[in-house]
Amino acid sequence: MEQIAVDQASLTARTFEVVRRAIITGELAPGTLHSVVGIAAQLGVSRTPVREALLQLATHGVVRFERSRGVRILQMTTRDIEEIYSLRFLLEVPSVYRAATMMDDAQMALVSEALEKMRQAGEAGDERLFQEEDVKFHQLILESAGNERVTQSVATTRAQMSARGLSTTQTRTLSDIWRVHERILDNIRARDSQGAAQAMQDHLLETTRLLLTQSTGDPRTGADFEPPTLPTFPHRDRP
């Protein structure tokens, strides 16, 4: 791993990112055991920022502290992916249904801005910025639905995904992903609650199946996944 120059203001954040990247790339391989002292020595920093970064990763289920042994890098399993995305189905689909009628003009403008920035980032090939605006797009929709705890729960699941490097950009382009989000927003703009809920469900289902296929190398694993049963939403006529 690369050494980190000392900068107290951002040291823990930078340490977190370097360790996270080492886990994603396999430099810190799943199943391996490491000491805080050993990682700190590799990075050229004290133990404190390393321990704080690892504690953050532990909250996301990426590593586990084992008493008197060190920190173990955990394997991402298909069960993890299924659970994370099943939770998102249960929270985000009903939320976008509500958001389609509850979102005010100011909130709509912010969601539209996030979508436009996604488009620009996609054209520029800036995956990092694209993903940041993707997160913002979903968060703004959740906030407009009016349930703060739901918004926080989804933020936690997305942090778990990000910490593990989960992404479908191996198998679809940023433009493909942008178009899916455009469909969601088009339905919200039309105040079509059912259409927005269906677009969100289709988006999450496609993403889940792609990630399961990537993680196993077996297309049948993704194809066999079925989302949790969602309630039937009453029809709402457009205003």
Side-chain angles (χ1 to χ4, degrees), residues 71-89:
V71 178
R72 189 173 299 279
I73 312 301
L74 300 179
Q75 175 74 50
M76 167 62 84
T77 66
T78 56
R79 178 69 177 271
D80 292 325
I81 296 172
E82 289 175 350
E83 288 185 353
I84 287 171
Y85 274 87
S86 290
L87 182 59
R88 290 190 64 186
F89 271 103

Side-chain angles (χ1 to χ4, degrees), residues 198-239:
Q198 187 62 57
M200 181 65 77
Q201 181 166 327
D202 292 345
H203 166 43
L204 294 174
L205 181 58
E206 179 187 23
T207 301
T208 307
R209 287 177 169 170
L210 286 172
L211 288 172
L212 289 170
T213 297
Q214 287 175 197
S215 69
T216 62
D218 184 356
R220 292 174 298 180
T221 305
D224 289 344
F225 174 79
E226 292 295 336
T229 302
L230 294 166
T232 301
F233 300 113
H235 178 73
R236 289 183 180 177
D237 293 329
R238 300 178 191 180

Side-chain angles (χ1 to χ4, degrees), residues 177-195:
I177 301 171
W178 177 83
R179 280 190 288 271
V180 173
H181 289 75
E182 182 186 37
R183 180 184 165 213
I184 295 169
L185 183 54
D186 283 347
N187 280 281
I188 295 174
R189 285 172 174 155
R191 301 301 183 182
D192 182 351
S193 294
Q194 289 184 320

Side-chain angles (χ1 to χ4, degrees), residues 113-126:
E113 181 183 7
L115 183 68
E116 173 59 18
K117 288 182 178 179
M118 286 175 66
R119 185 191 65 79
Q120 294 173 1
E123 290 182 351
D126 189 338

Side-chain angles (χ1 to χ4, degrees), residues 28-43:
L28 294 175
T32 57
L33 196 64
H34 303 270
S35 70
V36 172
V37 173
I39 293 176
Q42 290 184 63
L43 299 180

